[in-house]
Amino acid sequence: MKIYDRDDIHSIHKRLYSKDSRHELSIMGGGILNNDGYLLTSVNYQYHFFEALALEAQGGFGFQTQDDNRLTFGQLSASFSPIYGKISWFTWAVLNFDLYFIGGGGIVQYKGLKNGTSFMGNVGLGTRIFINEYLATRFEFRDYIFNQEFPGSDSKVTHNYSIAAGVSVFFPFRQDL
Amino acid sequence: MKNLVLILALCGAGPAFAKGGDSIRSSAPITALILDLQAGNFKPLEEAYFEDEIDFFLDYQGAERSAAKELYALREAGHAFEMGDIVKGRSFLGMISKYSDQKTFLAGVAEGVEGRYEQAYKTFKSLIDRRQKISRRLLTSAFLGAARVSHEAGDYPKAIFFYTEVRQLDPNFFQAVFEKGWSFYMDGDMNGALGASLSFTTPYAEHQLYPEAYIYRAGAFYHLCLFDRAGKAIEDMKKIFIPVQAQVRELKGRASTAWLFDDRVLKSVDPKILGFMVSDSRFRALQRVHLALQNESKLSGDAGQRQAEAIQFVRGKLGQEVARVLARADQELSKALEQADSIQIEILQLGVNLLVGAPIELRDDIRIIKLGDVDFDPKVQFWPFKGEFWLDELGSYYYGLKSVCSTEGPK
């Protein structure tokens, strides 16, 4: 086996994929895993002020297939992505990804067994896997927290654990690197 | 006889081929181009030329008078400038009324050949500034052009900047890294030169024939007074490239038909030789055409005859090109191996000088950049190298060695 130099060597190069000063539009689908389960779909817009910091506006809709319960929500969140890296997919490809934390708040309207409107907060963790300079896939876990009224009982704060996946498109298409 | 058949083929456009090769394009796209040339169906020829680097049809007799005459003039202008024949190149350029971006690029090449580096740089930069409107291939050529004239003008940092713009998946990527290494070396940045040369020692460079990368690697170690490592780089280089040159010479002595189209023989050819052949744009284009012709459905009638002729024609051209490419490989290997011998002698002489106490001649322009002092842009990735090579890191290595030179000699 060949032994390579292990001197003080670094690889210094431009990021392959950059988010800085770009817009990101995502369409995501998934579900809330607890509270009898909801199917979720959302449209998310992010503006990346820096590589690591972005502001997100999200509009989402959730529904149950068994019951008639529905959620409609809008969220404004901040996203912080301090981790950027690459992984080797077997030996076939190098995948570039970032990890981000997200959190924010907004409003939710729930309909079904009981109707109401509430403040909603969200915290989560997600990852983007970059496909090319303008496309990425997103996988995300979020806890949507809001105060919900239930028939025959007092309102209570519910945690709604969701998992979602989606596709992101970055604008402008070409990176300014 | 073959030429006569081709002339007849070009002149005898019959009603059956009134739409050029449209009727057979899905099953025989390359043969279709020959019918397009006959019928003056220009659009597919233009697409093949610019999008797929296919230009074999321009070697058919009569192409210079056909609908593709401007493509012919464009290609010939490039070849003429490549050979340093400015007058002939300009004469061909004068025949072209379209392709303003390509003409601009060739004008830059001509200015560079004439030694008008500043003007050439401006010409290439005018293309680079229009990067959103020109093809990726032309943009890469403009990057390389700007880098080369900057290097020739002695503006090495600018050359390094433009070489770095050539992307990894580009066929010219290793060429750009190789030339960037020379720019680092000439700029006195030995750690940069060593970093560039490291890419040529990776498994990804198995198909690359750049013996001179080892020359500047050895030179860089030498100028940092790391003489043992300079000697080792030369030994490694000879171990790799002396057998390669022996095989190049053996192949040169054989008729191309005896090995070029035989997969079993090709498998025994050193990957570096195959890589060198494919890195030549003219050989690469013809090889792609040959492969595509072999994969075409077998045609019958007139079209079938054209298909058979095309295979013979392309094989003949490939034979000529492979002779040229192998001669160039042999020449480059000879030059690099001679340089390797000179460096080895110099290192031996240095040992003698040290024994007799003679001073070592040192370059006074060696630059040592401490990476820890450099502020990196957030858009720049900075990965420590731990012996693993990642494809996306190729061409971006940088050493952090310090010179051990002193007036007394190596420590």
Side-chain angles (χ1 to χ4, degrees), chain B residues 182-197:
Chain B
W182 271 124
S183 293
F184 273 124
Y185 185 87
M186 297 302 290
D187 198 33
D189 188 342
M190 298 304 152
N191 281 314
L194 286 170
S197 69

Side-chain angles (χ1 to χ4, degrees), chain B residues 260-271:
Chain B
L260 190 56
F261 308 111
D262 186 335
D263 283 347
R264 284 171 305 173
V265 183
L266 275 180
K267 276 180 189 162
S268 68
V269 175
D270 190 295

Side-chain angles (χ1 to χ4, degrees), chain B residues 57-229:
Chain B
F57 51 83
L58 297 177
D59 293 316
Y60 271 53
Q61 281 199 5
E64 70 274 19
R65 295 183 301 278
S66 71
K69 63 186 175 193
E70 297 215 7
L71 285 181
Y72 178 86
L74 189 65
R75 187 188 70 164
E76 292 307 306
H79 288 178
F81 290 137
E82 204 178 294
M83 304 300 290
D85 192 340
I86 303 290
V87 176
K88 191 176 173 188
R90 288 230 160 90
S91 151
F92 276 116
L93 275 190
M95 299 175 191
I96 306 167
S97 60
K98 302 189 276 185
Y99 315 129
S100 60
D101 290 333
Q102 283 75 13
K103 280 172 75 177
T104 302
F105 171 73
L106 289 175
V109 173
E111 287 154 2
V113 173
E114 287 174 324
R116 294 192 291 134
Y117 301 128
E118 201 175 323
Q119 182 54 43
Y121 172 75
K122 283 180 186 164
T123 306
F124 291 129
K125 188 69 172 44
S126 71
L127 279 177
I128 292 166
D129 290 342
R130 300 182 61 247
R131 62 168 69 193
Q132 307 282 355
K133 293 175 182 163
I134 62 175
S135 70
R136 186 75 217 175
R137 187 141 62 96
L138 187 60
L139 179 61
T140 300
S141 301
F143 282 142
L144 275 176
R148 284 169 178 162
V149 294
S150 299
H151 180 98
E152 290 301 323
D155 191 345
Y156 303 116
K158 199 188 271 180
I160 291 162
F161 173 82
F162 285 112
Y163 281 129
T164 306
E165 293 291 308
V166 178
R167 290 184 181 182
Q168 280 160 341
L169 294 176
D170 193 281
N172 290 304
F173 173 69
F174 274 101
Q175 182 67 30
V177 176
F178 167 69
E179 292 180 23
K180 182 170 70 170
W182 271 124
S183 293
F184 273 124
Y185 185 87
M186 297 302 290
D187 198 33
D189 188 342
M190 298 304 152
N191 281 314
L194 286 170
S197 69
L198 184 64
S199 294
F200 293 91
T201 69
T202 70
Y204 297 108
E206 193 191 15
H207 288 78
Q208 305 298 325
L209 197 145
Y210 287 94
E212 273 194 85
Y214 286 79
I215 297 293
Y216 65 66
R217 183 172 179 79
F221 279 132
Y222 182 90
H223 287 299
L224 293 171
C225 295
L226 298 164
F227 304 113
D228 288 348
R229 298 178 71 172

